[in-house]
Amino acid sequence: MITIEHHSKTYEFETLDEAMNWAKQLGEFVTIKFNDLEIAGKFGVDGITSGKFPNGEPYTWKKRRRY
């Protein structure tokens, strides 16, 4: 059994695929728990193209190197 916690509520799913699809459609921060593992985040960003997320928002993270 896979569970997702969202806004203090718990939702149950049969498979990880079902849980991930629901989390992607929701588009908000969730915590997925299964097999003593916990994954937290906002799911759904599949990639960055031309400096933008699929929804059109700019990707602004900058990697800084310290010497």
Side-chain angles (χ1 to χ4, degrees):
M1 184 65 56
I2 292 92
T3 62
I4 293 183
E5 293 179 3
H6 176 255
H7 291 301
S8 302
K9 293 182 182 177
T10 302
Y11 303 88
E12 295 183 349
F13 298 89
E14 294 286 326
T15 67
L16 183 57
D17 285 337
E18 290 174 358
M20 291 293 294
N21 286 332
W22 186 82
K24 285 180 182 180
Q25 290 175 6
L26 184 63
E28 295 183 17
F29 189 90
V30 298
T31 303
I32 299 176
K33 295 181 180 182
F34 65 100
N35 297 337
D36 296 327
L37 296 173
E38 190 172 294
I39 303 168
K42 182 177 177 181
F43 299 91
V45 176
D46 294 327
I48 298 166
T49 305
S50 300
K52 295 187 179 187
F53 291 108
N55 67 358
E57 292 181 34
Y59 177 71
T60 59
W61 180 81
K62 294 181 182 178
K63 183 176 181 181
R64 295 183 183 192
R65 295 184 182 185
R66 296 179 190 225
Y67 294 35

